[in-house]
Amino acid sequence: MSVPLGEILAHPALAAADPLLHAPGRDVAADPVRWVHSSEVLDIAPLLRGGELLLCGGITLAGATPDKRAAYVQDLAQRGVAALAIETGGVLPEIPPAMLEKAREHGLPVVELREVVPFVGVMQAINSILVSESVGHLQQADAATRAMAAELAHGASLDRILDVLAGTTGSAVKLTSPWGVILGNAVPEGHNPHPADLAADQARDSPAAQSADDAGAPAGGQDHLEEVAGEKLVTVDIAVRGVLMGRLEVRVPEGADAGLAHVAGERAVDILGLALLQHTPPGLHALAGAELMRAVLTSAPEWRLEQLAPGAGFPASSPAVVAAVHAASPQKLRGAMEALLGAHRIPNAAYLDEAELVVMIGLPCTDTAAERRQLLASLRELEGDHDAVISVGPLAGGVAEAAWSLAEARRALEVRQLRRRTASARRRSYPARGLVVIDAGDVAVESLALTALDASARDAFVHRQLRALLDHDVQRQSQLLETLQVWLDSGCNTAQSARELHLERQSMHHRLQRIFELCGGDPRGTGRLAALHLAARLAGLP
């Protein structure tokens, strides 16, 4: 379900724009494009899946700050966008050199569209090709799935079931445990396994690999496509009722259709899950953990949670926290988190619910607050390159409070997203990319406001306390609200605030003096300090 970038640029619908490719130091003509999308929104990255050719008219970019342009490019690159096409001329005579340099730094191809073309026509022309190809892939994949189901119904082995998939895709396929031990494999007729693949198989079947499997050291990754030794490798995780059971690997040789392999692999997940249940059913501990997390997600009655907890390794009355995780590759991050917690013998249970990973983590009954702080520090130092946000909920006194801890963790994610939108509206870059760990306790005030106050009451309170300051920021394009927020959050520490804002001490003092004039004087030592702090925290909420 993809078309090479070079073919898209040569298509008459886009060639009319006289495209100029600014490649990031590598040949990108063969890079697959999964879809063509058009948007002027600079915070579009979280709404994309990766593999898109993004068309941009340049209107919003023309008025954006250099920092915002850089963040835009970085976010798209981290999201895995295939290329960014920008129309130049008019309000944006050329693509800013600093923006092109940032794109090269992050490996994002940028296409300069030097003539005007209707984006709607481009999207219709290219996406219709992609849709037609998708329909053909789905038909072939469904035929393969029906054949695999027939084999399963007749008691066939994993190798025989995989042989159907290998014949459909023309590729070598392999099913492994989550820890890499081979459970079954198959190759199409006339296929010679790649030497690197044979070496990997031997390594995975070694006693050391078998020991790792018995020890339960997880390693995971979401379904994806990558280049391996000149071939394309499609991997798809096989999960059954929230328990990761195995991983399907499809090694696509040169000339075969990687798109078909990807679709067929995804469509085969349910059949392979049933096959794994027959041949290698999960342990009781894993099933109990998944059932407990489903109960937490559905806010089951307390008695049900307390009934399920011991089987998953959680004493019913033991303290715990629940983390909500949004990640580009949730299974990969799940493996890293489970490895970290397992190494410290910390009880945990995880469940992947669509795009959200939810993890419950047990804590000792003594020195619990310190253990929670250490957990946050350890999560921030997780090994690996993760594009994710981990929100850790407040301490639950027992499993009966787990749903509340999860709700607070999710609300902290909501507050972060609201702050990102506010920063974007003010044309300011928002920090924290890559792996971000949020302590839900840090946004307890915002959480309370979102649940206890309606939007009109919050807005009225903020304007009563900060109206003059907010008007000043709008009229002068100043950043006094941000300065006040940082200063109050630091405990009114002027030196620390200046460092965080990258200001000279004298500049910081000047800003504070202006803030005091607009807010009725220095609030320190008065009852107004708490009100100002609350208003500043609520100012980022809609």
Side-chain angles (χ1 to χ4, degrees):
M1 294 189 294
S2 64
V3 175
L5 177 60
E7 290 186 18
I8 290 180
L9 297 181
H11 191 282
L14 199 55
D18 190 19
L20 175 62
L21 176 62
H22 298 272
R26 58 181 176 84
D27 183 12
V28 298
D31 284 5
V33 174
R34 186 185 58 80
W35 196 250
V36 181
H37 187 68
S38 170
S39 176
E40 296 297 311
V41 178
L42 297 187
D43 288 325
I44 189 67
L47 303 179
L48 303 176
R49 291 184 54 193
E52 295 91 350
L53 169 62
L54 182 62
L55 307 177
C56 176
I59 298 173
T60 310
L61 283 173
T65 64
D67 286 346
K68 187 61 181 176
R69 291 170 183 163
Y72 175 61
V73 167
Q74 183 174 336
D75 287 348
L76 293 179
Q78 290 179 343
R79 200 63 178 174
V81 169
L84 170 64
I86 304 172
E87 187 178 279
T88 56
V91 294
L92 189 70
E94 65 175 6
I95 300 176
M99 189 174 173
L100 290 175
E101 180 60 34
K102 180 63 70 170
R104 282 191 291 271
E105 176 185 337
H106 290 282
L108 176 68
V110 176
V111 180
E112 182 177 354
L113 304 179
R114 296 175 289 186
E115 298 291 340
V116 176
V117 294
F119 284 177
V120 171
V122 173
M123 290 188 291
Q124 287 179 340
I126 306 301
N127 289 340
S128 63
I129 297 174
L130 292 166
V131 169
S132 297
E133 184 181 2
S134 299
V135 171
H137 286 167
L138 288 171
Q139 290 173 339
Q140 291 178 270
D142 286 344
T145 301
R146 289 192 294 271
M148 294 170 70
E151 294 288 350
L152 177 64
H154 288 88
S157 66
L158 286 174
D159 286 351
R160 179 70 193 112
I161 295 171
L162 292 172
D163 192 52
V164 176
L165 188 60
T168 298
T169 61
S171 308
V173 297
K174 182 190 310 176
L175 189 61
T176 69
S177 75
W179 307 274
V181 175
I182 296 173
L183 305 175
N185 54 27
V187 296
E189 290 187 15
H191 177 85
N192 294 318
H194 194 282
D197 200 23
L198 291 174
D201 291 353
Q202 292 170 357
R204 286 172 176 166
D205 283 335
S206 67
Q210 295 286 354
S211 298
D213 188 43
D214 294 339
Q222 215 177 15
D223 54 309
H224 67 282
L225 174 65
E226 60 180 294
E227 294 279 350
V228 177
E231 299 179 331
K232 291 184 174 66
L233 178 65
V234 176
T235 61
V236 183
D237 288 325
I238 311 296
V240 179
R241 293 179 61 81
V243 179
L244 182 63
M245 295 282 291
R247 173 175 297 164
L248 174 68
E249 298 182 359
V250 185
R251 191 176 293 276
V252 187
E254 187 174 356
D257 191 339
L260 173 59
H262 189 84
V263 174
E266 288 186 331
R267 304 291 277 194
V269 165
D270 291 340
I271 296 300
L272 292 176
L274 291 173
L276 285 172
L277 282 175
Q278 285 189 5
H279 293 84
T280 56
L284 293 177
H285 185 274
L287 288 174
E291 192 63 31
L292 173 62
M293 294 312 297
R294 278 194 294 274
V296 171
L297 287 164
T298 57
S299 298
E302 291 184 11
W303 65 265
R304 179 59 174 161
L305 294 172
E306 292 172 350
Q307 181 186 60
L308 293 169
F314 289 89
S317 59
S318 67
V321 296
V322 182
V325 183
H326 291 183
S329 298
Q331 285 289 15
K332 179 180 178 182
L333 184 59
R334 176 180 182 169
M337 291 180 67
E338 289 180 341
L340 168 69
L341 298 171
H344 293 85
R345 300 183 181 276
I346 299 175
N348 66 91
Y351 192 87
L352 182 58
D353 182 30
E354 296 183 353
E356 182 183 51
L357 174 64
V358 179
V359 184
M360 187 159 73
I361 304 167
L363 295 175
C365 295
T366 58
D367 206 10
T368 308
E371 291 292 338
R372 184 177 181 278
R373 289 195 298 272
Q374 181 57 48
L375 171 66
L376 287 163
S378 299
L379 290 174
R380 292 187 176 103
E381 297 174 359
L382 271 178
E383 295 183 359
D385 182 17
H386 302 288
D387 179 13
V389 181
I390 303 175
S391 179
V392 180
L395 186 66
V399 294
E401 297 181 354
W404 165 76
S405 181
L406 172 60
E408 291 298 305
R410 285 172 167 170
R411 196 165 291 117
L413 288 171
E414 179 185 355
V415 170
R416 178 179 184 271
Q417 188 60 32
L418 291 172
R419 286 178 171 173
R420 287 181 66 92
R421 291 174 185 168
T422 302
S424 174
R426 294 173 183 160
R427 295 184 178 180
R428 297 174 191 165
S429 60
Y430 191 87
R433 295 177 180 83
L435 178 62
V436 181
V437 179
I438 301 173
D439 183 351
D442 289 341
V443 294
V445 168
E446 290 87 343
S447 177
L448 177 64
L450 287 172
T451 55
L453 296 174
D454 59 39
S456 60
R458 295 195 304 266
D459 187 62
F461 179 78
V462 169
H463 278 78
R464 280 195 296 269
Q465 301 296 325
L466 300 173
R467 178 176 299 172
L469 187 146
L470 294 172
D471 290 344
H472 185 281
D473 272 358
V474 171
Q475 295 167 6
R476 306 287 183 87
Q477 295 294 302
S478 57
Q479 299 179 7
L480 295 186
L481 175 60
E482 180 184 14
T483 302
L484 177 62
Q485 289 170 332
V486 172
W487 182 68
L488 291 170
D489 286 345
S490 72
C492 304
N493 188 320
T494 303
Q496 178 182 330
S497 302
R499 287 193 296 271
E500 290 187 27
L501 294 167
H502 306 290
L503 293 174
E504 296 290 339
R505 289 282 296 274
Q506 194 62 31
S507 298
M508 184 68 194
H509 280 293
H510 283 315
R511 283 197 187 184
L512 286 176
Q513 188 59 40
R514 186 60 179 145
I515 290 170
F516 296 160
E517 292 172 0
L518 294 167
C519 295
D522 189 338
R524 288 173 289 191
T526 74
R528 291 186 298 106
L529 183 65
L532 276 180
H533 200 174
L534 178 59
R537 295 287 291 267
L538 300 186
L541 303 180

